[in-house]
Amino acid sequence: MNLDLVYFLLADDLDENLLSLEALLRREGLVLLKARSGPEALELLLKHDVALALLDVHMPGMDGFELAELMRGIERTKQVPIIFLTAGSADWQRRFRGYEAGAVDFIQKPIESDILRSKVSVFFELYRQRQQLAHQYEQLKSATTALREADRRKDEFLATLAHELRNPLATIRNGLEILRMNPHSAETEDVRGMMNRQLKHLVRLIDDLLDVSRVSQGKIDLRKELITLQSALDSAVEASHPLIEARKHTLLLEVPKETLWLNADITRIAQIVSNLLNNAAKYTPDSGTIKLSVTCEGEEAVIAVKDNGMGIPQDMLPKVFELFTQVDNNLERSQGGLGIGLALVRQLVEMHGGSINAKSAGLNQGSTFSVRLPLTHGIQEEETMQAAQAPATETQSLRVLVVDDNIASAKTTGWMLVMIGHEPRLAHDGLEALATAREMKPDAILLDIGLPGMNGYNVCRELRKDPAFKNTIFIAQTGWGQERDKQEARDAGFDHHLIKPVDLERLTELLAKGV
Ligand code: ADP
């Protein structure tokens, strides 16, 4: 729709009348269509959206009234307002016929230019407003459709989310019941292992959810550094190993011997590859084959994850990277996912200046996902070798203050610390934390951020002022893992930042390094 132009029709058999009308009415944004007869006028009316028709009553062949009557019978023209231009009193007496035919006004010739101009201008403005309203209406309509679609997808997503969260929770609850009723049975280890896997799955779902929302709000910061692709692949394989093993797949690796360097965020590259490996494991029937290969093409590394699983139909290939897309929702394919993994993977790949594509010959023909990432020039191998061979430190028992207002969380963290050979004390709010810390002089403090009384940042700032805590390791543990939060923790004086639920291995490692 063109909002800028308004069309008026001028119908008069005399050229000079048309010309003088044109001269009189000319204004910006107005197109004057000129017709010398009734049929010519009709033709123009059918071609354009006319805002006003100025019709001479006297025209040979078809006069103005006849033209108006015809216009009333045609869908496209029946609403066009008409002003008749009349020459004499005879027309004036016939004006009722004109009104019946839909006239809105009569103007006597000779025309008084000011009167005509001001009347016509009302129609011009009215039409413009109508156009604007129609335009706004269209915009509203498409916004409503988009909102409805988003709402439908959100409902669908919430249903999937509830479903995906309930499954692992149900297993964990069953596991707890079994352990409660029969703590020493032969299955105890199996039950624990199963609960652990389900918990990891839950944590991964929540991490993905948070990531996807952060990426779409542009809130993810990459911590780019010079890394080797091989190291990222190692952590990806390590992370996906349990799932690949559980499904009895064979994993083949084809990675070049020479070191490939990337300027990238190692955690994110590992996340990308691990996501693809997990999908390959999920969407391949048990005992399948998954191949992870890397080739160099020019200045790019091409990482391919190929499986011999259920494949992807041709029409779905480009769509699998869209948020909340799952190839079909039937139970056979439903493998515990939210349809966000590949959307996240693509966003992370693109943030690294790379690209991703999916190939499959069709159902049950396997799939191949290829990620291209720009390579960069490396540093001397020796430096990294030295870094990698840093001497291992021996674990020593530390006095650790655990501060968390969630009693259960504090208690279980305390138990974990005892298990790994440390001596914990617990505190549940900011002020208690200050008092206990001053009294026990801990080697490390595991500090929650959201605390009653005084938040974790301020507790850390306060204790950092005291030289007695110069060598204390301050570890923030929070549910907030954005770069901003980590920075805030560093600014407050923390040495480390852990996201809840705290990973025991990571905690062990930090406390071991700290002495
Ligand atoms: P999720 O796995 O959580 O459903 P993803 O975004 O990771 O979400 O994947 C989207 C969809 O793409 C999956 O639901 C699945 O249908 C399809 N898909 C992904 N990887 C594969 C694969 N290797 N083989 C077959 N289908 C796949």
Side-chain angles (χ1 to χ4, degrees), residues 277-291:
L277 287 172
N278 287 348
N279 274 353
K282 276 178 2 183
Y283 300 108
T284 300
D286 285 4
S287 306
T289 305
I290 301 170
K291 185 167 156 194

Side-chain angles (χ1 to χ4, degrees), residues 279 282-283 307 311-312 320 325-327 333 337-339 341-342 367:
N279 274 353
K282 276 178 2 183
Y283 300 108
D307 63 57
I312 300 171
V320 290
T325 302
Q326 296 186 301
V327 170
R333 197 180 272 267
L338 298 170
L342 287 178
S367 318

Side-chain angles (χ1 to χ4, degrees), residues 435-508:
T436 318
R438 286 182 180 132
E439 183 204 317
M440 77 180 273
K441 302 273 163 9
D443 301 305
I445 304 185
L446 201 55
L447 193 50
D448 190 23
I449 296 299
L451 287 173
M454 183 186 230
N455 74 30
Y457 296 133
N458 289 336
V459 172
C460 179
R461 272 192 203 101
E462 196 55 36
L463 292 177
R464 276 292 189 213
K465 285 185 202 155
D466 184 343
F469 296 97
K470 200 167 79 139
N471 297 320
T472 308
I473 315 162
F474 282 77
I475 305 173
Q477 53 159 353
T478 76
W480 307 107
Q482 293 177 25
E483 189 44 40
R484 238 186 316 160
D485 306 309
K486 292 183 187 165
Q487 188 56 50
E488 204 165 345
R490 278 194 288 272
D491 293 346
F494 281 100
D495 301 296
H496 304 286
H497 181 278
L498 294 179
I499 299 167
K500 284 183 181 176
V502 170
D503 182 50
L504 182 60
E505 263 177 54
R506 178 87 181 111
L507 184 60
T508 313

